[in-house]
Structure formats: structure tokens, C-alpha cells
Amino acid sequence: MTLDQFVALGQSFGPLGLMIGYLVWREKVGAEKRGELERARAASDIELAKALTALTVTIQHIDRRLT
């Protein structure tokens, strides 16, 4: 929200309008941060799955070589 929007909320609705504006702004910023975290978590999950797959294949080939 811009300063003009906060001023309009304050003039129109008083302190309650400012509080509602703050809560909306806080939720918007929080949602953006959660989105960034989810993208980072998804990327790390993909890398973990790749590493576990490589480990599984390696272990299976070691077992075949020993017998």
C-alpha cells in the first residue's frame, strides 16, 4: 500500500481503517515470503530425490558386484 492509500484509510475509517490496512499489507508480504520458501523447498526436495536415487542405484550395483 502506498502512503496515499494509508492516508485515505485513516481519513475515511480512522484508526480502525489503518489497522485493517496494516493487516492486509502484512498478509500480502507474508504470502510472498511463503511462496519463496515453497519454491526453495521444492528445489531442495528435487535435489534430495536425485541424491537418494543415485545412492540406491550405487548400493544395488555394489550388491551385484559382490556376488
Side-chain angles (χ1 to χ4, degrees):
M1 293 188 99
T2 65
L3 181 60
D4 293 335
Q5 290 172 328
F6 276 118
V7 171
L9 283 173
Q11 290 175 347
S12 299
F13 302 106
L16 182 60
L18 291 175
M19 180 58 108
I20 292 170
Y22 167 74
L23 293 174
V24 168
W25 171 81
R26 187 180 72 173
E27 183 62 29
K28 179 183 173 193
V29 170
E32 291 171 356
K33 287 181 182 178
R34 282 189 302 273
E36 292 173 12
L37 288 173
E38 287 298 320
R39 285 189 292 277
R41 186 174 294 133
S44 66
D45 287 348
I46 289 170
E47 293 301 318
L48 179 61
K50 289 178 184 178
L52 289 174
T53 301
L55 180 61
T56 302
V57 169
T58 302
I59 290 172
Q60 290 172 346
H61 284 113
I62 287 174
D63 187 41
R64 289 181 187 164
R65 288 181 185 174
L66 294 175
T67 59

